[in-house]
Amino acid sequence: MNTNSRNVTYSTVGDYQLPNLTLNQPRKSLGKYGRLRRTYLMNHRPVLYNTMLLNGSLYPHLMEVEQTAESRMQQTMAQLLKQTPAPDKEQNQMAWVQHMNSLKAQAEELVLTELIYS
């Protein structure tokens, strides 16, 4: 094995010298928002995606987006619930479920627009 000035090691396979490249494997799997961000970057910002992938900064970026999106979802849901309180769950379950689903959709739309697709 030989190395060049950038400390990349090579192994000889037949007549070729191939670099020994390894990617850091993620410790924790990505959640919904991290996967959405990764898909967005792959499809709409391929140069940025490939640069981050080769730098090794893609996975930390995706984890940061995931954590930020989750906390923003919780904060937004709490604010929306304060603004428009839900009906009584014991007496009208379907109205409560409808109301909570509506709030979740509003909060998720904000998170997707601000964090994922920007």
Side-chain angles (χ1 to χ4, degrees):
M1 291 216 225
N2 8 346
T3 60
N4 65 3
S5 62
R6 292 188 179 189
N7 296 328
V8 177
T9 59
Y10 294 86
S11 58
T12 304
V13 178
D15 293 337
Y16 302 103
Q17 285 195 341
L18 302 175
N20 298 325
L21 301 176
T22 58
L23 291 175
N24 294 334
Q25 293 297 323
R27 293 173 213 93
K28 182 180 171 189
S29 62
L30 293 173
K32 174 184 178 180
Y33 301 110
R35 290 191 312 266
L36 284 171
R37 179 69 176 166
R38 181 181 61 199
T39 302
Y40 170 77
L41 290 174
M42 276 193 297
N43 293 333
H44 300 284
R45 308 280 305 272
V47 173
L48 178 62
Y49 173 79
N50 287 324
T51 302
M52 292 175 80
L53 182 64
L54 292 174
N55 287 355
S57 63
L58 179 65
Y59 182 73
H61 170 73
L62 296 176
M63 285 306 296
E64 181 182 342
V65 168
E66 174 74 28
Q67 292 170 352
T68 305
E70 286 293 336
S71 66
R72 183 84 54 92
M73 275 291 290
Q74 290 175 357
Q75 291 173 353
T76 307
M77 281 292 291
Q79 289 174 351
L80 289 172
L81 202 52
K82 278 184 188 176
Q83 292 174 356
T84 56
D88 186 27
K89 187 177 180 179
E90 291 181 8
Q91 295 191 2
N92 199 350
Q93 292 94 0
M94 291 305 289
W96 182 85
V97 169
Q98 180 183 11
H99 184 74
M100 295 305 285
N101 283 343
S102 173
L103 294 182
K104 183 177 179 186
Q106 291 175 28
E108 194 164 72
E109 184 177 348
L110 288 171
V111 166
L112 291 177
T113 303
E114 293 176 0
L115 292 176
I116 307 300
Y117 303 131
S118 61

